Amino acid sequence: MNAAAPSDDTLIRIRGLTTVLSGKKVFDALDMDIPRGKVTAIMGPSGTGKTTLLKHITGQMRGDAGQVQVDGKNVPELGREALYALREKIGYLFQNSALLTDFDVFENVAFPLRQHTRLPEVLIRNIVLTKLQAVGLRGAAQLAPSELSGGMARRVALARAIVFDPMLILYDEPFVGLDPIALNQVLKLIRTLNETLGITSVLVAHELDAIKQVADHIFLIANGKVVAQGDPKTIAGDGSPWTRQFFGGEADGPVPFQYPAGDYAEALGFPRSGA
Amino acid sequence: MNARIERDNIVTQALGQIGACGLFLLQILAAIPRSLRYVRETVRQLWFVGAMSLTIIMVCGLFVGMVLALQLYHVLSIFGGTAATGTVVAISIYRELGPVITALLFAGRAGTAITAEIGLMRATDQIAAMELMAVDPLAYVAAPRFLAGLIALPLLCCVFSALGIFGGHLVGVTWLGIDNGTFWSNMTATVDVWKDIISGVVWKSLAFGAVVALIAVFQGYTAPPTSEGVAYATTRTVVASSIAILALDFVLTAFLM
Ligand SMILES: Nc1ncnc2c1ncn2[C@@H]1O[C@H](COP(=O)(O)OP(=O)(O)OP(=O)(O)O)[C@@H](O)[C@H]1O
Ligand SMILES: [Mg+2]
C-alpha cells in the first residue's frame, strides 16, 4: 500500500530509525516528520548524527531498522535506478563543499545540468550565471576550486546544490565560514527559494540567530532521539532541560558534552579519588 | 608459530584483495554500457594516461632497442651471424620487451596517477558528491579510466616497438655498419605478423592494459580516505601491477606461442 498521496504535506517521514555505528547507537528509534514546502532546521550537539541523518535521507547510508520515507518512497528499499531518480530531485550541500577539483567554478555549478539535461549551451550559461550571481560569485566563474577561500567554496557548493531547482534541498551547515554580508544573502536566498519555488529545505546548523530568521520549525536531536521541537520563537524558552542547556550553552545537563569515555583520573594515570 | 600466523595473514589478505578486485572488475564491466554516455570523459582520460606517457615510452623504447642491438651484435659476431641482429631485436621487442616494459612503465607513470587521483577524490568527498548528484561514479570515474588504460597500452606498445627497432637500426646499421638492406630484409622475412606482432603487441598489451588499469582504479577506489591510505594505495598499484604483469606474461607466453 502506498501511503503517500500527492497532497500529503509531510515530505520526509522517519519512523523508528535505529542505527549503530562502530558500537555506538547513533539513532535510537528516531521519529521525525519534515513538512513539505517549509524550512526545517535540525540542531543538536556536535557528533549526535545530524550529518548521518542527512545521509540516511539521501540513501548514502542505511539504518539497522526503521523507515525513511521521502516523497512516499522508503529510501532503504530503493534500487539503484530508483535511488538515482530520487536524488535528481534532491540538492545537497556538503559540510566540506566537495567541489570537483577537475573543473572550474562555472563547470562545477553546471555539472548537474550537463549530466541530466540536454539544454542548449546558452540556457545552461544563463542558469549557472544566475545562480552564481545569487551567491555573489558571478565574477569568480573562471576560478579553480583551489583558488577559492573556504567561504567562497561553500557558496559555490550552494549554487551547485540549487542549480536544478530541486524538490528538496539538504544543507549541511550552510552558514559556516560566511561573513555577515554573505550570511545575510544566503539567508535571503534560502527564504526566496522556499517562498517562490516552494522548495522544501532542511538545514543543519548551529547558529540559532540565523535559524530564527529562516526556519519554520526546529528539531533538537540528542542521544539518538528528538528531544525537543517547535517553532523558533518559542523553542528556546519552552522550559525543558534539553533546550535550556543547549541554547544556554551550559556544559552540565542532560546533553553530554563528552564523547562516552572511561574514568578521567584513571586515564591520566592517577589513583582513583577516595580509594 | 608467530611467523606462520603472520604468513597466513599475508596470504589470506592477498587472496582477499584478489577476490575483491575480481568483483570490482565485474562492477566495472557492468558500468561500461552506462559509461558510454561519458565518451568525452573517456577521451579526456585517454589523453591523460596515453598522450602524457608518450615521452617516457619513446625515450625508453629507443634506449632498449639500442642496447639490445649492441649486446646482440657482440654475441652474434662470435658465430659470424651479425646479419641476424635486426631480426632478433625485432622479435624480442615484439614478443616480450615491448609489451612488458611498456606495461611496467605505464603502471609507474599512469597507474599511480589514476590511483592517487581517485583516492583523493574519495577522500575529499567528490565521489560522494557525484553519487548525490545522481551521477554513478563507477560509470563516470572508474569505467572511463579502465577503458582508457585498455586502449592506451596497445597504442603505446606500438610506439615503443617502433622506437625500439629504430634504436636497433641506429646502433646496428649506422654505428656498427651492418648492411642496411640485410638488416631490413632479414627482419621482414623472419618476423611473423600473427605469431610475433599480433600475439605480442596486441594480445599481450590488451591483457596488460586491462590488468594495470583495473589494479590502479581498484586501489584508488578502495583506498582509505586518508593521506596515508592514498600513499599506500599508490605503492600497492606499482607492486601489484608489476607482479601481475610478469606472472601474466609467463602464462600468456605459454599459451600464445
Ligand atoms: N562512517 C562512520 N563510521 C563510524 N562511525 C561514524 C561514521 N560516521 C559517523 N560516525 C559517528 O556517528 C556520530 C555522528 O556523526 P555525524 O557526523 O553525523 O555528527 P554531526 O551531528 O553531523 O556532528 P557535527 O555537528 O560535528 O557535524 C559520531 O559519533 C561519529 O563518531
Ligand atoms: Mg555534521
Side-chain angles (χ1 to χ4, degrees):
Chain A
M1 199 186 84
N2 193 346
S7 62
D8 186 354
D9 56 9
T10 303
L11 184 61
I12 303 174
R13 180 178 282 116
I14 298 173
R15 286 291 174 272
L17 180 66
T18 303
T19 305
V20 179
L21 284 178
S22 37
K24 186 185 169 210
K25 213 170 204 175
V26 178
F27 299 123
D28 183 8
L30 179 87
D31 291 341
M32 193 182 264
D33 283 317
I34 293 177
R36 193 186 289 271
K38 295 272 165 56
V39 179
T40 304
I42 297 176
M43 304 185 74
S46 182
T48 36
K50 303 180 295 296
T51 302
T52 310
L53 185 63
L54 296 186
K55 284 185 179 169
H56 280 79
I57 294 173
T58 54
Q60 288 168 277
M61 244 185 200
R62 274 159 214 217
D64 297 303
Q67 290 207 325
V68 180
Q69 283 187 16
V70 178
D71 204 22
K73 300 176 199 75
N74 189 20
V75 176
E77 288 168 7
L78 292 181
R80 212 190 61 91
E81 298 286 324
L83 189 59
Y84 274 34
L86 178 66
R87 284 180 183 170
E88 279 188 40
K89 295 190 275 180
I90 301 179
Y92 192 100
L93 178 71
F94 270 83
Q95 191 163 1
N96 56 359
S97 303
L99 298 177
L100 305 181
T101 43
D102 275 354
F103 300 120
D104 63 11
V105 165
F106 183 94
E107 285 304 321
N108 259 290
V109 180
F111 187 81
L113 291 174
R114 292 204 196 283
Q115 296 307 321
H116 300 302
T117 66
R118 293 253 166 270
L119 295 178
E121 190 58 37
V122 192
L123 203 50
I124 290 188
R125 209 182 134 71
N126 279 351
I127 298 175
V128 172
L129 290 183
T130 316
K131 302 298 179 192
L132 281 176
Q133 175 80 21
V135 295
L137 288 175
R138 189 166 52 82
Q142 305 308 325
L143 295 185
S146 57
E147 296 170 307
L148 302 176
S149 75
M152 289 162 83
R154 323 252 43 237
R155 287 188 278 155
V156 175
L158 180 59
R160 179 177 71 177
I162 62 175
V163 73
F164 236 85
D165 293 333
M167 151 189 94
L168 165 68
I169 307 182
L170 307 171
Y171 303 89
D172 198 351
E173 317 233 347
F175 310 131
V176 171
L178 298 186
D179 62 67
I181 306 170
L183 177 63
N184 250 325
Q185 291 306 312
V186 169
L187 285 173
K188 242 189 245 164
L189 184 65
I190 294 175
R191 202 68 246 178
T192 316
L193 286 169
N194 173 250
E195 278 163 7
T196 56
L197 300 171
I199 296 174
T200 308
S201 304
V202 176
L203 50 99
V204 167
H206 295 297
E207 298 82 350
L208 186 61
D209 292 334
I211 286 178
K212 272 184 182 158
Q213 295 178 45
V214 282
D216 299 305
H217 197 81
I218 295 182
F219 286 98
L220 179 63
I221 56 177
N223 291 357
K225 284 191 188 325
V226 174
V227 292
Q229 56 172 305
D231 70 88
K233 309 247 159 20
T234 55
I235 187 166
D238 78 346
S240 90
W242 295 96
T243 52
R244 195 166 36 183
Q245 184 203 348
F246 186 72
F247 296 116
E250 292 157 24
D252 293 316
V255 186
F257 167 65
Q258 292 288 347
Y259 192 89
D263 188 71
Y264 188 31
E266 215 171 338
L268 295 178
F270 298 127
R272 307 223 21 196
S273 49
Chain B
M1 179 70 205
N2 253 342
R4 184 157 163 209
I5 293 173
E6 194 86 326
R7 196 169 61 230
D8 281 358
N9 268 339
I10 291 174
V11 171
T12 40
Q13 262 177 19
L15 286 177
Q17 283 257 317
I18 292 172
C21 200
L23 291 179
F24 190 69
L25 175 65
L26 296 183
Q27 280 182 302
I28 290 190
L29 292 179
I32 284 180
R34 278 178 272 135
S35 80
L36 295 181
R37 290 179 51 204
Y38 310 122
V39 181
R40 279 184 48 184
E41 186 59 19
T42 308
V43 173
R44 207 169 68 90
Q45 289 306 324
L46 196 56
W47 164 257
F48 182 65
V49 300
M52 301 296 197
S53 310
L54 259 183
T55 324
I56 182 175
I57 295 288
M58 286 168 76
V59 172
C60 293
L62 190 68
F63 280 117
V64 166
M66 283 164 66
V67 125
L68 211 53
L70 201 54
Q71 293 277 16
L72 285 167
Y73 183 86
H74 286 296
V75 175
L76 290 171
S77 64
I78 300 172
F79 312 104
T82 51
T85 304
T87 311
V88 187
V89 167
I91 289 186
S92 35
I93 287 184
Y94 285 140
R95 285 187 165 208
E96 285 298 331
L97 296 176
V100 171
I101 297 185
T102 310
L104 291 174
L105 291 173
F106 186 78
R109 169 65 183 79
T112 49
I114 291 176
T115 303
E117 189 188 14
I118 299 181
L120 278 178
M121 284 174 93
R122 180 171 288 290
T124 52
D125 274 345
Q126 295 185 52
I127 302 270
M130 283 182 194
E131 273 171 355
L132 282 177
M133 290 187 278
V135 172
D136 183 0
L138 275 173
Y140 187 82
V141 176
R145 284 165 175 79
F146 177 74
L147 288 176
L150 197 64
I151 300 168
L153 205 52
L155 297 177
L156 290 173
C157 183
C158 290
V159 175
F160 183 96
S161 307
L163 264 291
I165 288 169
F166 175 68
H169 184 269
L170 216 57
V171 168
V173 176
T174 316
W175 182 20
L176 300 173
I178 301 172
D179 177 59
N180 189 30
T182 317
F183 184 90
W184 290 120
S185 64
N186 272 356
M187 188 193 297
T188 45
T190 319
V191 172
D192 183 88
V193 172
W194 285 98
K195 281 193 83 171
D196 300 324
I197 302 184
I198 301 290
S199 74
V201 174
V202 178
W203 294 133
K204 276 190 178 178
S205 288
L206 271 178
F208 295 163
V211 165
V212 174
L214 174 66
I215 290 177
V217 173
F218 172 75
Q219 292 295 350
Y221 219 80
T222 54
T226 58
S227 31
E228 200 186 24
V230 176
Y232 275 126
T234 314
T235 309
R236 271 202 303 273
T237 294
V238 177
V239 175
S241 298
S242 309
I243 295 174
I245 290 165
L246 295 171
L248 192 63
D249 183 46
F250 175 73
V251 175
L252 286 178
T253 309
F255 278 99
L256 283 173
M257 286 156 187

